[in-house]
Amino acid sequence: MTPPQAGPVAETTAALDVLLDTHPEASAALDPATLSRLDEESGFPREATDLLDRLGVPALYVPTRFGGRLESQEELFHVLRVLGRRDVTVAVAHFKTYLGAVSVWLAGRPEQAERLGREIIAGSRVSWALSEPEHGADLLAGEVTATREEGGEGGYVLSGVKWLINNATLGSHWCVLARTSQTPGSRSHSLLLVGKEGLPEGSYRPLPKVATVGIRGADISGVGFEDTRVPATALVGQEGKGVETVLRGLQLTRTACAGLSAGAGEHALRIATAFAAEHQVGGRPLIERPHVREVLARSAATLLAVEAVGRAGARSAHALTDEMSVISALTKAVAPTLADGLIRDLADLLGSRSHLAAGYAHGAFQKALRDHQIVGIFDGSTVVNRHAVVNHFPRLARNYASGTADLDGVAEATALGSPVRPLDPTRLQVMSRTGCSIVQALPAVAARVARAAAAGEAPATLAEAAGAAEAAVRRVHERMARVAPSPKPPIAAFDLAAAYELGFAAAVCLHVWERRAASGADARSAAWDEARWVEGALWALLDRLGEAAGQEPRPLRRDLRDGLVDWLAEAVAKGEPLTLFARQATGNDAVQEAADER
Amino acid sequence: MSVDQHAPAAARSADALEELLGDPWDAANPAGFERLLAADEAREPAAGAEATLGTFGLGAELVPAALGGRFTDLPRLIEVLRALWRRDPSLGFGAGLRPFLAAAHVWAAGDAGQQRAAADALLAGRLPAAAEGAPGFTAERDGAGWRLRGRQEIVTNLREADTLVLTARTPEGDATFRLDLAALPADGVRHLPRLPGVGMRGLRLSGLEFLDCPVPADALLGGAPGTAAALPVSLLARTCLPALSAGILDTGLRAALDCALGRQLYGGKVADLPYVQGTLARCFADLLLVDAFSGAVARLLSLLPAQAAAPAAALGHLGPRLLIDAMDTLRSVPGARGYLHEGRHAIFQKLGRDLLPGGFGADSRAACQAGLLDLLPGLTRAGRPAEPAVPRGLFPAGTADLPPLDFAALATAGAAADPLAGTLLAVAGDTPQDGLPGRLARHFLAELDRVHAEGAALDPARPALDAEPEELRVAHRYAVVLAAAACLGTWDAGRKAGDPRTGDDTWLCAALDRLCSLTGGPRVLTEAERADVEEEMFRAACRRFEERRLFDLTYRAVPG
C-alpha cells in the first residue's frame, strides 16, 4: 500500500516533531535533566519557549485569515501532542497564547485580530483572564468589572482580581472577561483585549506566581486591576457577548487539550516500555511477562484511542460544528481520564521508581503524571464537562433512538489527516440540537463492520468488538433516557456521562478505522496492521465501561496483545513516535522555512 | 478535649500524640499543616513535629513490652502511628513505619543481646537507619565475620542513626545485619547521593555503597543466615502500609469537606452539589473498607499467623491502589485548589504525593498479587472451607484484647486455612436473606465459590511471574472477596454487640458496593439503593467532620 500524499497537517506539525529532535538547540532546551531541575525550582522553561518562537510555532496559533498559518484545528492537536510528548509544562506554557487569543479569532474586529496575529507571530504571549479567586468555571459570577467611562474617549475602567491565570505575568496581553452590566443574566459580561504596553504604571498589580503540583514552571499567577483604563477599542466583539464568546472558544480549546493527554500518555508509555524491556526479574526482562505485556498492550491501544478522539474532535469543529458543545465536552472529559488511568497503570509497573523525582529517566515519569493531572482540572474540569454532557442527555437519547446523524460530517471528521472544510465559527452553538452524530452513527458502522467481516474483508474479532461496543452503548442510552434534567444532577448521572464518553471514544475509533483509506495525510503506522489498535482500543474501552458494558473485563487475546506490544516495543526502541500515523521526515514546509529564515 | 483515661491504651496513646501535635489548622503550630508544607517544599523533615515525637517517646511504641517498650500488637501500633500519618506521612514513615520494620527484623530473628541493644536505642529515642533492599547486595563469609558488597540506594535516616539494618543475599540464604555505623571502616563504604521522591519529601534519604566492607559476626541477626526474618517483616510491611496510608485519606476527606462546606458555587455551597456529596460518600466508604480489611489482617497476625499470608498479600495488593484511586477521585472536590501548594487546602496535594503506590521490592503490589496467586491452589484445593466460622477474637466487639504479637511466629505464616473465607460463610449464613446486607453477602459468597473453582483449576506448577492476566485476575477477585469478608465480619460483630458504629448497615453496604465495583460484572445495589446509601454516608461524613471525629471505624474524637 503506498503512503497517501502529504497534506497541510503533515507538513507543519510532522516537521515540528522532527525539528525538535534534530534542531541543534532543541536537545539543550528540552534536555530531560534540565527540565527536571526547572521543575524542582518552578523555573519557567524559557529556553524551550524561545526556541519554539524561533521555529515559528506561534504562527500556528493564528488563523490564516489573520496572517498566520492555522487552517485546521487538527493541527493544534498535533502541536500540543508534539510538544506534550516531550514536556507538558513547555506545551502548556507556550500553547497558552492560543487560548488567550481564541476569543479574538472568534469575535474580534478584523483589524483587531490581524494586529494581534502580527504581535503573536512577533513573540507576544497572551493570557486568557477568566477565573477569579472566588470563581472558577462559574463565569457568570465573575466580579471583575469593566465600567464604561462617561464622555472622554469612552473607554473602560477595569477593577478587580483575575487569579490562577496562565501567562498573566510573563505575557504581554490579557483577554479579560469582565462584568459590563449589573443586570443579572447571560449578557452581563464582555471581553476586552488589554495590552500591557501603554498601561499607566501602578494601574495594575501583577500577582505572585502560584506554586502548583505540576506544570510548576508555568507562569500561573494573576493580575489585580486597579481602575485600569483601557480604550474602547479593547472590546472584543459586542458588549454583553463575553460569556457566549468564551463558551464558543472553549469548544475549540477544550478539544485541543486532548493533545496534551496524548503527549503525556506517550511520554509515560515510552518510559515504562523502555524500563520493561531492560529490567530483569528472575533472569528475564519484564516485557516478556504476560501480565506486563497486557498492561503495555492496553496502554498502547488506549493511547491511540486518545489520539483518535483528539483528532476527530478537532476535525469536528470544522465538519460537525453545530455539535461542538457536546463533542468538546466529551473530548475534554475522556482524553485526560484515559491518560490519567493509563499513567497510573504504568506507575504500578514501575513500582517505587514511579515515585522518584530523579534517578530513573530523570524523574520524568512522575513529572508527566503530575503535569498531566492539570488537564482534567483546568478550563472546564472533567466534572464540569460531564455536567454539560448530562445536560444534553435528552437530545442524545432521542437522536440515538431515531438514528439521526450527519453522516457526511462524521465521515469528514473521522478521515484523520485529510483536508477538512474551513471552520465557520458562526455555527458554534451553546447546545447541540442534533445530539452527537458520531455516537448516533455507531450502530450503522458496527453493522457495516459485521457485514465486512462476513465477507472476509474485516477481522471477525473486530466485528465482535464492534458489536459489543454497540450493545454497551445501547444500554447506556437506555439508562440515559431515565435521567431527568436537573440543575443539580445526581452522581449517577455523572457516572452515566462517564460511560457515554467511553462510548463516544469507541465510536470514534470505529469510524476512524472505517475511514482509514481517506485518512490520507500521513502513511499509517504499523499499529493499523490486523486492525490491532482499534480492536485493542475497543476492548480496553469496554473494560472501562465495566458494568455498563454488561460484561466482565477480559484480557486481550494473546495474538492481539503480542501484536500491540511488538509494535510498541519496536517504536520505542527506534525512537519513533507512538501514533496512528508514521512520521514523515520532510523538511520542505512552512515551519522549516520559518526556522531557516531566522 | 483532654485524653480520655478510660479509653483503651491504644486510643489513649494516639490521643496523647494527637494532642502533642496540636491543631493542624493553626498557622503558628510547628506541627501544623502550614509549617509542614513549608518543610515539604524545602525537602526537610518538619523540625517542630519531629520534636514532639521525642517528647512522646515514639521509639517506645516500636519496642515490645517484654523488652520495656509499649508495643503489644499491630492494631495498637497502627492506631498510634495513624495519628502521625494523618498529620505528616513523611514522619509517619521515616520515624514510625520504617524504623519499626527495621526493628522487627531484630524482634523476629535477633538474639537476646541484639534485641536488648536495639530496644535500648529505641527507648532512648535513637532510631535505626534502614535500607529498602537491593537485588545485587551480597554478603560473603570472611573468617568469623562477613564482607558486604553492593549498593543500597534508598536508606532512611542514615546520617542521624547509630545503627543500620539491612538484608543481604548469601549462598546460605538471606542474612540480615544490624550494623554499628561508627564501626564501619571509612574505606569500606561510600555515600551515594539522595534519590529524591516526589512525595514524602521530608524523608531523610540517602544511599550507601558497600565496598567489600567487613562487618563483625555479632552484627548478623540470629547468628546465622537463613534465619527467617524476611517473612515476618514482609507480612508487617504489607499490612502496615495500607493500614497507615488510610490515615492520609482521612485527612484528605477532612480537607475536602472543609473546602466543600466553605466554598460557594452556583449560588450555594459546593457541598450542596449531589456530585460532590456522592464523591465524598464513596471515598469515605473506601476508607472504611481499607480500615476494616487492614484491621482484620493486623489482628490475624497476632491470632492466627499460620493463616495470615494470603490475607496480607491480598491487602498489600488491593489497599494501596484503592487509596490512590480514592484520592484521585476526591481531588475533584477541591478542584483547582487541590493542585496548589498554597492556600488553606494546600495540604491536599501534599497528601496525594505522599501516598505511596505500594510497598517496596518484594512487597510491591505486583509481588503481593503474584504471592496471592501462588497460594490460591493450596487454599482452594479442598473446596469451600469446611467450617463457616469466625475465628475467636478476630473481630473486636469493643476493645477485645489480643495476645502480644509473636514476631518469630510470623516466620511460619502460611495459608493453612482461610479464616476470612470462613468468616464470610458464617456471617452470610447468619444474615437475613432479604435486605441489602444479605444480598451483598450472598453475592460475595457466589464470588468465593467462583474464585475457588477457578483457583482449583490453576496450574500450581506455573510460577506466578509467568501467570497470564486472567490467572492474576483470579487473585485480584479473591483479594476483593477477602476484603468483603473482613467488612462483613466487622459489621456482624458490631451488630451483635450493639455497637452503633461498626454495626451500622449503611457503612457495610457502602463499602461492599465499592468492592463490587472493583470486579466488573453486575452490581448488587440498584441505582436508587446506591443513592440512598450514599446520601446517608455523606450525612455521616458531615457529622464526623463537625464533631471532629475520625473517618475510620474507631469514630474517635480528635483532641484539640
Side-chain angles (χ1 to χ4, degrees):
Chain A
M1 157 191 352
T2 50
Q5 286 209 332
V9 176
E11 286 175 353
T12 47
T13 54
L16 179 61
D17 208 10
V18 172
L19 270 176
L20 291 177
D21 275 350
T22 59
H23 195 283
E25 292 164 45
S27 61
L30 296 168
D31 168 46
T34 303
L35 292 171
S36 175
R37 181 183 46 80
L38 282 173
D39 181 64
E40 178 71 27
E41 298 163 2
S42 291
F44 189 81
R46 183 169 307 286
E47 237 191 298
T49 53
D50 284 353
L51 174 65
L52 295 176
D53 286 350
R54 287 199 300 283
L55 291 179
V57 176
L60 293 170
Y61 304 152
V62 181
T64 50
R65 71 181 176 285
F66 299 132
R69 299 201 204 276
L70 177 63
E71 283 186 348
S72 157
Q73 295 297 111
E74 197 177 5
E75 288 170 294
L76 287 177
F77 168 87
H78 276 295
V79 172
L80 271 179
R81 188 185 73 80
V82 162
L83 297 182
R85 62 190 289 269
R86 289 169 172 84
D87 190 74
V88 169
T89 303
V90 170
V92 166
H94 197 261
F95 188 80
K96 181 61 193 190
T97 292
Y98 175 79
L99 274 68
V102 70
S103 308
V104 179
W105 307 152
L106 289 177
R109 301 180 306 280
E111 68 274 14
Q112 186 181 38
E114 283 160 15
R115 183 173 167 198
L116 182 63
R118 280 195 301 275
E119 284 168 343
I120 286 174
I121 290 170
S124 285
R125 299 198 206 287
V126 187
S127 71
W128 209 3
L130 297 179
S131 66
E132 302 174 5
E134 296 308 314
H135 312 292
D138 194 3
L139 299 174
L140 286 170
E143 290 173 74
V144 167
T145 51
T147 313
R148 203 73 204 252
E149 285 183 297
E150 297 303 322
E153 290 144 18
Y156 293 90
V157 179
L158 285 173
S159 173
V161 172
K162 287 293 186 187
W163 189 66
L164 293 188
I165 309 296
N166 189 357
N167 266 350
T169 302
L170 299 180
S172 55
H173 294 72
W174 309 281
C175 186
V176 185
L177 182 70
R179 181 181 288 280
T180 40
S181 162
Q182 290 301 331
T183 311
S186 60
R187 298 298 189 100
S188 47
H189 287 70
S190 309
L191 282 164
L192 295 111
L193 179 66
V194 180
K196 277 189 203 171
E197 204 175 34
L199 285 183
E201 269 301 317
S203 67
Y204 72 93
R205 162 176 64 93
L207 297 178
K209 176 175 165 60
V210 177
T212 49
V213 172
I215 57 164
R216 287 167 59 84
D219 166 26
I220 310 293
S221 54
V223 55
F225 295 109
E226 306 185 333
D227 291 340
T228 317
R229 297 179 62 224
V230 303
T233 49
L235 189 63
V236 177
Q238 292 175 34
E239 216 179 87
K241 291 280 193 110
V243 170
E244 188 192 309
T245 303
V246 167
L247 290 176
R248 287 159 58 224
L250 284 170
Q251 291 179 13
L252 302 180
T253 61
R254 286 174 176 174
T255 312
C257 285
L260 289 171
S261 296
E266 177 179 357
H267 196 177
L269 183 52
R270 297 191 86 89
I271 293 173
T273 305
F275 172 73
E278 80 200 9
H279 186 77
Q280 307 232 341
V281 175
R284 287 162 56 201
L286 278 183
I287 202 170
E288 289 180 19
R289 306 287 180 187
H291 67 282
V292 172
R293 294 173 77 76
E294 179 80 10
V295 171
L296 291 175
R298 278 168 184 279
S299 300
T302 302
L303 177 65
L304 295 173
V306 170
E307 180 181 355
V309 163
R311 295 179 67 162
R315 295 173 63 86
S316 295
H318 300 257
L320 289 164
T321 319
D322 318 44
E323 296 184 0
M324 278 309 284
S325 62
V326 75
I327 292 175
S328 62
L330 289 166
T331 305
K332 179 66 171 54
V334 79
T337 298
L338 290 176
D340 275 337
L342 76 89
I343 294 174
R344 280 279 182 222
D345 290 343
L346 295 170
D348 269 346
L349 217 142
L350 286 166
S352 50
R353 264 161 229 84
S354 70
H355 205 244
L356 294 175
Y360 188 79
H362 306 284
F365 186 90
Q366 57 77 28
K367 181 178 184 304
L369 190 156
R370 280 182 293 113
D371 284 353
H372 180 263
Q373 277 175 345
I374 192 62
V375 183
I377 294 173
F378 75 171
D379 277 5
S381 67
T382 300
V383 176
V384 163
N385 282 293
R386 284 181 182 160
H387 196 162
V389 174
V390 171
N391 289 343
H392 279 85
F393 272 2
R395 279 177 224 269
L396 294 172
R398 215 162 42 235
N399 284 301
Y400 189 85
S402 62
T404 317
D406 175 355
L407 297 178
D408 287 340
V410 173
E412 191 173 343
T414 53
L416 304 189
S418 64
V420 73
R421 75 184 87 158
L423 195 164
D424 177 2
T426 62
R427 288 182 52 206
L428 291 169
Q429 317 281 330
V430 169
M431 275 291 279
S432 166
R433 284 190 283 277
T434 49
C436 181
S437 293
I438 286 173
V439 175
Q440 283 139 213
L442 170 60
V445 65
R448 286 195 296 273
V449 171
R451 283 198 295 278
E457 288 154 16
T461 49
L462 177 61
E464 190 196 339
E470 198 256 314
V473 169
R474 191 180 343 116
R475 268 191 291 277
V476 169
H477 279 85
E478 284 160 13
R479 288 164 60 197
M480 277 160 59
R482 296 198 290 271
V483 174
S486 156
K488 292 186 178 177
I491 191 171
F494 288 83
D495 292 339
L496 204 46
Y500 185 89
E501 81 201 21
L502 292 169
F504 168 73
V508 166
C509 290
L510 270 171
H511 288 301
V512 164
W513 183 79
E514 190 178 47
R515 295 287 286 144
R516 62 198 179 285
S519 297
D522 292 322
R524 295 197 290 272
S525 75
W528 291 80
D529 294 356
E530 291 119 31
R532 51 189 164 183
W533 83 261
V534 58
E535 208 198 314
L538 287 174
W539 292 125
L541 291 165
L542 282 167
D543 276 1
R544 292 192 61 108
L545 269 162
E547 177 218 349
Q551 62 172 46
E552 284 237 341
R554 43 194 272 187
L556 299 174
R557 265 188 352 270
R558 169 78 63 89
D559 60 293
L560 177 58
R561 179 202 313 164
D562 288 344
L564 285 163
V565 174
D566 289 346
W567 166 75
L568 172 66
E570 188 173 331
V572 169
K574 288 184 177 169
E576 286 164 7
L578 302 176
T579 167
L580 288 169
F581 295 99
R583 187 163 77 180
Q584 282 191 323
T586 63
N588 185 21
D589 63 276
V591 174
Q592 180 70 71
E593 282 166 21
D596 292 342
E597 273 160 31
R598 285 174 163 81
Chain B
M1 179 191 307
S2 61
V3 175
D4 176 4
Q5 293 302 322
H6 302 290
R12 286 205 305 279
S13 267
D15 282 349
L17 178 54
E18 197 83 62
E19 233 174 76
L20 279 170
L21 291 168
D23 180 4
W25 300 96
D26 176 3
N29 180 1
F33 288 149
E34 204 166 300
R35 299 282 192 93
L36 289 169
L37 283 161
D40 184 65
E41 288 289 329
R43 277 200 190 280
E44 280 165 11
E50 206 169 29
T52 60
L53 302 184
T55 311
F56 176 73
L58 186 62
E61 295 290 341
L62 314 183
V63 176
L67 289 166
R70 299 202 286 263
F71 181 91
T72 51
D73 53 73
L74 206 59
R76 180 208 154 86
L77 179 69
I78 287 170
E79 192 155 358
V80 173
L81 287 185
R82 253 199 210 154
L84 195 50
W85 279 70
R86 280 192 293 272
R87 184 63 59 99
D88 182 13
S90 254
L91 276 179
F93 184 87
L97 179 59
R98 198 64 199 82
F100 169 66
L101 294 175
H105 278 285
V106 185
W107 314 146
D111 62 38
Q114 291 164 336
Q115 290 189 352
R116 187 71 259 153
D120 287 342
L122 279 165
L123 290 169
R126 301 198 307 273
L127 303 178
E132 281 319 322
F137 193 77
T138 56
E140 245 175 42
R141 284 195 187 273
D142 181 27
W146 297 83
R147 282 195 179 267
L148 300 180
R149 187 185 305 141
R151 295 169 66 99
Q152 290 286 358
E153 293 190 321
I154 305 176
V155 183
T156 316
N157 293 331
L158 184 61
R159 291 176 207 279
E160 292 71 32
D162 304 325
T163 57
L164 166 62
V165 176
L166 49 67
T167 301
R169 297 248 157 101
T170 81
E172 302 153 63
D174 280 355
T176 304
F177 294 86
R178 182 174 177 268
L179 302 175
D180 177 352
L181 284 167
L184 296 177
D187 60 354
V189 292
R190 189 159 64 90
H191 283 268
L192 300 173
R194 172 182 185 173
L195 283 180
V198 65
M200 297 202 173
R201 286 167 56 106
L203 270 184
R204 293 204 166 88
L205 289 178
S206 54
L208 202 59
E209 185 169 14
F210 288 76
L211 312 160
D212 279 333
C213 182
V215 301
D218 64 3
L220 175 60
L221 290 181
T227 328
L231 183 52
V233 178
S234 173
L235 289 168
L236 295 167
R238 291 174 174 199
T239 307
C240 286
L241 182 62
L244 295 171
S245 298
I248 296 178
L249 185 55
D250 193 296
T251 303
L253 264 170
R254 205 166 304 276
L257 261 165
D258 185 271
C259 185
L261 291 167
R263 270 197 87 206
Q264 294 286 317
L265 197 61
Y266 304 118
K269 285 189 294 214
V270 167
D272 292 338
L273 296 171
Y275 172 81
V276 171
Q277 296 180 358
T279 300
L280 290 164
R282 290 174 184 186
C283 295
F284 181 26
D286 287 340
L287 172 55
L288 288 168
L289 100 81
V290 172
D291 193 20
F293 194 13
S294 60
V297 178
R299 297 181 73 81
L300 271 175
L301 293 178
S302 275
L303 290 169
L304 291 165
Q307 301 175 22
L315 176 59
H317 158 66
L318 212 58
R321 180 67 189 259
L322 214 147
L323 291 167
I324 284 184
D325 287 346
M327 279 298 280
D328 279 346
T329 303
L330 199 51
R331 188 171 294 116
S332 63
V333 174
R337 295 287 191 275
Y339 203 72
L340 308 183
H341 278 228
E342 61 178 67
R344 181 171 168 84
H345 303 103
I347 194 67
F348 195 85
Q349 53 80 25
K350 176 180 180 292
L351 295 169
R353 285 184 292 107
D354 285 348
L355 202 43
L356 288 172
F360 289 87
D363 298 316
S364 69
R365 289 194 60 229
C368 287
Q369 190 179 16
L372 187 58
L373 182 62
D374 275 334
L375 293 169
L376 257 178
L379 281 166
T380 55
R381 205 173 292 129
R384 268 199 187 187
E387 278 292 315
V390 181
R392 181 183 293 283
L394 181 56
F395 295 102
T399 58
D401 285 315
L402 286 172
L405 180 67
D406 182 347
F407 286 86
L410 292 178
T412 61
D418 193 339
L420 288 175
T423 299
L424 173 56
L425 284 164
V427 174
D430 220 7
T431 301
Q433 294 286 288
D434 49 353
L436 288 187
R439 280 161 47 205
L440 284 159
R442 277 205 312 285
H443 168 83
F444 285 103
L445 216 51
E447 263 294 286
L448 176 66
D449 279 343
R450 186 178 155 190
V451 166
H452 265 249
E454 292 176 1
L458 292 169
D459 175 5
R462 169 144 65 186
L465 279 181
D466 287 331
E468 290 294 326
E470 56 266 26
E471 295 170 302
L472 283 163
R473 188 117 192 110
V474 180
H476 173 76
R477 294 211 321 276
Y478 181 52
V480 171
V481 168
L482 294 182
C487 291
L488 280 159
T490 306
W491 165 79
D492 185 60
R495 165 172 83 108
K496 287 174 172 147
D499 184 339
R501 306 165 298 169
T502 48
D504 164 60
D505 284 8
T506 304
W507 87 263
L508 174 74
C509 296
L512 293 181
D513 185 50
R514 299 297 289 153
L515 286 170
C516 283
S517 76
L518 292 182
T519 50
R523 307 280 280 271
V524 175
L525 267 59
T526 64
E527 262 185 37
E529 287 167 340
R530 181 172 303 110
D532 285 343
V533 165
E534 286 175 353
E535 191 186 329
E536 276 190 51
M537 286 293 283
F538 169 70
R539 284 200 246 110
C542 286
R543 275 197 303 275
R544 292 198 190 209
F545 177 81
E546 265 132 40
E547 294 172 20
R548 300 186 61 121
R549 291 186 177 280
L550 296 178
F551 292 106
D552 63 20
L553 290 166
T554 68
Y555 196 68
R556 265 186 21 249
V558 176

